[in-house]
Amino acid sequence: MKKLYCLLFVMLLPCLPGIAQPATRTLRLQEVIALAQEQSAIARQAETSRENSYWQWRSFKSDYKPQLSLTGTLPDFSRTITPVTQPDGTTDFKPVSINNSELGLSLSQVVSPTGGRVFVTSLMQRFDDFDRDQTRYNGNPAIIGIEQPLFAYNQLSWAKKIEPLRYQESQKVYLEERESIAVNATRLYFDLLLAQTNQRIASQNQSSNDTLYQIAQQKYKLGRLSKNDLLQLRLAVLNAELAMAQAGLDQQTAALALKTYIGMKETDQLELMTPEGIPATTVLAEVALAQARKNRKESINFSRRLLEAEALMAKAHGDNGFNASLFATFGLTNRGASFTDIYTRPENQQRARIGFSMPIMDWGRQRSIYKVAELNKQLVQYTVDQEDANFEQAVLTQVNQYNTLKARIATTAEADTIAEERYEIARNTFLIGRISITDLNIALAEKDQARRAHIASLSEFWIAHYTLRQLTLYDFEQQQVIEMSDLVNE
C-alpha cells in the first residue's frame, strides 16, 4: 500500500493547486529527428570528426604543393681561446672572437610519380672576426638541385591513390552517422509515444472502470449484480489506478531520455504526434543493393584497404636491401669582402652524388618480409570478400523487413479500430446486463493490446525505414541519393 500511495502522489502532483504547470510542446517525428541531427551531442561529435577529416585532407594536399621556406642562424657568436698551429709547427692558444650568420631561402617541390624532390635555393653567409676587424661574405645566389631515390618504395605515389579514398570514406561516414542519429531518435520517439499512449489508455480505463463501478454499486443494491462481479470491478479500478501511476513514471523517464539525446534543455512537456502516414514506395531489393554499393562507405573502404595492402607489398619489394639515391645540384657561388661581391661575376658550382647500400647476406630476411606482405594482402582480400557478403545480406534482410513491416501497419490499424469498436459494444452490453464482467475485461484487454500493437508496428516500420536509409544512403521517398549538398540546403 505504501508503494501505491507513492505512485498516486507522483501521478497527482501536477494537479495540486499552486504549482505552475509547464507548457506543452507538440512535435512530429521528422521534427525530433531534425533537432537530433542539428543540436544533439552525437551530432556535434560527428560534425567535429568530419571537420577533422577535412583538415587532414587539406594537410595531405599541401604536401604536394610548392614549399617556400626561410632558414637562418642570426647570430652564432663565439668568444673563446682556441689552439692555433704556429708557422714553426708549435701550438699556441689564441683568443678568438667571431660571429657566423647564415640566411637561406628555398623553394621545393615533390615529384610524386618518382618520389623525388626538386629545389631552388639561395644562401648567404657572413663571417665576422672581431679580433682582426675582418668581415667576409660567402654565398650561393642560386642553386638548382634534385634528390631522387632509385628503385625505392614511392610513398608519395601510393599516398596519392589512398588518401583521396580515405577522405571520401570520411564523408560517407558522416552521412551514415547522421542517419544513425535518425534511427536512435526514432526509437526514443516511439518509446515516449508508447508511454504517452499507455498513460492515455490507463487514464481512460481508470475513468471507465470508476464509472462502471459506480453503476455496479447501484445494481448490487438492487440485487441485479453479484458481489463477485462487484469486487472484480473494484479490483479493476485499483489496477487502473496503479497502471496510471506507473504509466506516468514511464512517461517521465522516456521524455527525459528523448530530451537528453536530442539536446533539448527546455522544461516544456512533450506531446508527440502519431505518424499515421507512411511512404507509398515499395523498395526493390536489387535497387537497394545497387544504391548501397554505390553510396555507402563500404565500397570505398574495401578499395582503400586493398590499396593499402598493395602498398605494403610495394614497400616490401622496394625495401629489398638494395638502396640507392641520386643527389645533384648546379648553381652559382662567390665570396668577397662585401655583400655585393657575391653577385659580381659568380662562379659555377656543381655537385653530383650517387649513394647505395646493399646487403651481402641477410639470411632470408627480405624474402620473409615480402612473404608476410603478400600473405597480408591475401588475408585482406578474403576479409573484404566476407564483409562484402555480410553487407549484401544485411541490405537484403533490411529490405525484406521494411516491406513486411509496411504491409503489417494496415492490419494493426484495422485491428485497433475493430478492438475499440468492440469494446464500446461490450461496455454498453455489460451496462444492460447481457454479458459478464469477464467478457468485458477481455474486450478491454484486447482494445489496449491492439492499440499498443499498432504503435509498436509503427515504431518498427520507421526504425526500419531510417535503418534502410543508413544502409543505402538513399532516400526512397524522394528517389534521390543522400549527399553532402543536401545538408547545405536543409
Side-chain angles (χ1 to χ4, degrees), residues 436-481:
S436 66
I437 184 63
T438 302
D439 294 331
L440 178 63
N441 288 336
I442 292 173
L444 175 63
E446 290 178 348
K447 173 184 74 72
D448 296 346
Q449 180 60 32
R451 184 57 186 168
R452 294 188 182 100
H454 181 54
I455 296 297
S457 67
L458 286 172
S459 173
E460 292 172 353
F461 168 77
W462 283 107
I463 290 174
H465 171 77
Y466 286 106
T467 301
L468 187 59
R469 281 173 54 109
Q470 180 189 8
L471 281 175
T472 61
L473 287 185
Y474 188 78
D475 187 343
F476 291 93
E477 289 185 85
Q478 303 297 327
Q479 299 291 307
Q480 64 183 17
V481 178

Side-chain angles (χ1 to χ4, degrees), residues 89-306:
T90 61
T91 300
D92 192 10
F93 291 90
K94 300 287 186 181
V96 177
S97 182
I98 60 174
N99 178 62
N100 280 297
S101 298
E102 181 179 305
L103 195 63
L105 184 65
S106 179
L107 178 66
S108 63
Q109 171 67 57
V110 297
V111 183
S112 58
T114 64
R117 182 177 73 96
V118 295
F119 57 90
V120 178
T121 302
S122 179
L123 298 174
M124 177 61 63
Q125 293 178 316
R126 171 173 169 162
F127 175 78
D128 294 295
D129 187 339
F130 298 109
D131 295 324
R132 298 167 179 79
D133 194 22
Q134 292 181 349
T135 299
R136 293 292 183 267
Y137 290 89
N138 178 45
N140 303 96
I143 298 176
I144 300 176
I146 181 172
E147 293 179 331
Q148 178 61 57
L150 302 175
F151 316 113
Y153 167 69
N154 187 352
Q155 191 271 337
L156 293 172
S157 178
W158 282 103
K160 207 167 186 180
K161 298 176 183 178
I162 295 173
E163 292 303 322
L165 295 179
R166 194 187 305 278
Y167 178 64
Q168 294 175 27
E169 185 180 350
S170 70
Q171 302 302 298
K172 298 296 184 181
V173 168
Y174 174 69
L175 293 174
E176 292 173 22
E177 286 178 346
R178 285 179 59 87
E179 294 305 315
S180 176
I181 291 172
V183 172
N184 293 329
T186 301
R187 184 175 288 108
L188 293 172
Y189 180 94
F190 278 98
D191 286 347
L192 178 55
L193 181 61
L194 181 59
Q196 292 180 346
T197 300
N198 286 335
Q199 187 180 44
R200 283 192 291 267
I201 289 174
S203 178
Q204 292 170 1
N205 291 344
Q206 192 275 336
S207 177
S208 177
N209 288 331
D210 187 65
T211 301
L212 290 175
Y213 180 68
Q214 298 298 328
I215 297 174
Q217 284 182 315
Q218 299 298 324
K219 287 186 175 184
Y220 176 73
K221 292 178 181 179
L222 297 175
R224 296 170 54 188
L225 189 71
S226 67
K227 188 172 183 179
N228 179 61
D229 289 343
L230 180 66
L231 293 177
Q232 285 191 42
L233 285 173
R234 178 57 184 165
L235 183 60
V237 171
L238 295 176
N239 289 334
E241 291 174 350
L242 283 172
M244 187 165 60
Q246 185 61 51
L249 291 176
D250 293 342
Q251 180 183 358
Q252 293 177 15
T253 302
L256 180 61
L258 179 61
K259 285 183 177 181
T260 301
Y261 185 79
I262 67 177
M264 180 182 291
K265 299 180 180 178
E266 297 88 345
T267 58
D268 298 347
Q269 291 185 352
L270 298 181
E271 181 65 30
L272 303 184
M273 304 295 293
T274 303
E276 297 294 349
I278 61 174
T281 306
T282 299
V283 178
L284 300 177
E286 57 271 19
V287 174
L289 187 58
Q291 292 296 334
R293 291 191 180 281
K294 183 175 68 173
N295 304 326
R296 281 274 294 191
K297 71 175 185 299
E298 272 72 12
S299 58
I300 302 174
N301 175 272
F302 296 158
S303 299
R304 175 183 61 81
R305 287 160 61 187
L306 289 173

Side-chain angles (χ1 to χ4, degrees), residues 386-436:
Q386 182 61 52
E387 291 181 3
D388 184 53
N390 294 341
F391 174 69
E392 179 177 342
Q393 180 181 356
V395 173
L396 296 179
T397 301
Q398 192 63 39
V399 170
N400 293 333
Q401 185 177 9
Y402 172 88
N403 291 327
T404 301
L405 293 172
K406 178 183 175 183
R408 197 175 72 178
I409 288 178
T411 302
T412 58
E414 184 178 1
D416 182 29
T417 303
I418 292 174
E420 180 72 31
E421 184 178 356
R422 179 177 179 273
Y423 171 72
E424 289 299 324
I425 295 174
R427 183 175 182 274
N428 294 331
T429 305
F430 173 78
L431 291 176
I432 61 177
R434 296 181 60 182
I435 63 172
S436 66

